[in-house]
Amino acid sequence: MGRHTRALRSVADPEAVADAGDAHDDLAKALYQEFGGSLMAFALRLTGQDRQWAEDVVQETLIKAWRNADKLDRQPEMLRAWLFTVARRIVIDGWRSRSARPQQIEEIESDAICVPDESDRTLAAMIVYEALQGLSPEQREAIQQTYLRDRTVNEVAATLGVPPGTVKSRIHHAVRALRRALRERG
């Protein structure tokens, strides 16, 4: 017989201990020493390896044992069965309450909320529009067809009725002029 089992048995006789509070405390310690490791492993499996939750389950199980010390059957196999049943029920209750309750989120300070500011995008679009206005109509058309309408050089050449080399030349000169105009505008 192990020393923990002896501790469980010595606590089994309430008349052997003068103070019932000490008996309950001794029982709780003995239960933890005897069953704590296996109860923790069991709780870890039930909680999906959530260590913090499993520790809470073990603690709550031992508290229930302490509260019900006068009613417990002190045979080790009966105590083990009772503890594991209580732990399983605690986990089941935890799963139920987690699924029934909406997930809690932290309050966000209104200063921390980022609202997209479209002013930069609008300003950039205005600058590009002004720069496009500085191009020749042919260059502007080549840029609009290739970059804005996503057409190939050959498609633009066919639409405008000019050779593909001419479209490439217009795009090349237009892009250089746009870079220069955008650099000037900052």
Side-chain angles (χ1 to χ4, degrees), residues 164-185:
T166 303
V167 174
K168 288 180 184 178
S169 176
R170 288 178 183 173
I171 292 170
H172 173 76
H173 291 291
V175 168
R176 287 181 62 196
L178 282 173
R179 281 188 189 139
R180 200 173 28 252
L182 292 174
R183 247 186 261 124
E184 290 171 4
R185 287 176 174 82

Side-chain angles (χ1 to χ4, degrees), residues 89-121:
R89 288 180 181 161
I90 290 169
V91 171
I92 289 170
D93 289 345
W95 283 114
R96 286 180 182 157
S97 68
R98 286 180 181 198
S99 64
R101 195 173 7 166
Q103 210 173 16
Q104 295 179 355
I105 56 173
E106 293 181 25
E107 264 189 58
I108 300 173
E109 294 180 27
S110 61
D111 294 343
I113 298 174
C114 294
V115 177
D117 184 7
E118 294 294 320
S119 62
D120 287 341
R121 189 173 178 181

Side-chain angles (χ1 to χ4, degrees), residues 1-11 26-27 29-35 76:
M1 178 183 320
R3 78 170 204 260
H4 303 302
T5 306
R6 278 195 297 273
L8 290 173
R9 296 257 164 108
S10 68
V11 176
D26 289 346
L27 174 65
K29 287 177 190 173
L31 288 174
Y32 183 75
Q33 290 172 343
E34 183 75 17
F35 302 110

Side-chain angles (χ1 to χ4, degrees), residues 32-67:
Y32 183 75
Q33 290 172 343
E34 183 75 17
F35 302 110
S38 58
L39 193 58
M40 182 64 175
F42 180 68
L44 278 169
R45 277 195 317 272
L46 293 177
T47 60
Q49 302 302 316
D50 184 333
R51 185 160 192 82
Q52 184 176 359
W53 186 14
E55 288 172 355
D56 290 344
V57 168
V58 170
Q59 183 178 13
E60 191 173 338
T61 301
L62 292 174
I63 288 170
K64 287 186 184 230
W66 181 78
R67 286 182 181 156

Side-chain angles (χ1 to χ4, degrees), residues 11-18:
V11 176
D13 183 11
E15 294 168 10
V17 180

Side-chain angles (χ1 to χ4, degrees), residues 74-149:
R74 303 300 170 95
Q75 296 176 15
E77 58 275 355
M78 296 304 289
L79 280 171
R80 179 182 171 84
W82 187 89
L83 290 168
F84 279 62
T85 299
V86 169
R88 185 174 51 80
R89 288 180 181 161
I90 290 169
V91 171
I92 289 170
D93 289 345
W95 283 114
R96 286 180 182 157
S97 68
R98 286 180 181 198
S99 64
R101 195 173 7 166
Q103 210 173 16
Q104 295 179 355
I105 56 173
E106 293 181 25
E107 264 189 58
I108 300 173
E109 294 180 27
S110 61
D111 294 343
I113 298 174
C114 294
V115 177
D117 184 7
E118 294 294 320
S119 62
D120 287 341
R121 189 173 178 181
T122 302
L123 183 60
M126 289 171 56
I127 291 171
V128 169
Y129 177 78
E130 286 178 11
L132 282 170
Q133 297 310 309
L135 300 176
S136 72
E138 294 82 15
Q139 290 174 335
R140 192 170 37 252
E141 182 68 25
I143 292 289
Q144 287 175 340
Q145 291 290 327
T146 55
Y147 286 101
L148 302 179
R149 294 194 180 138

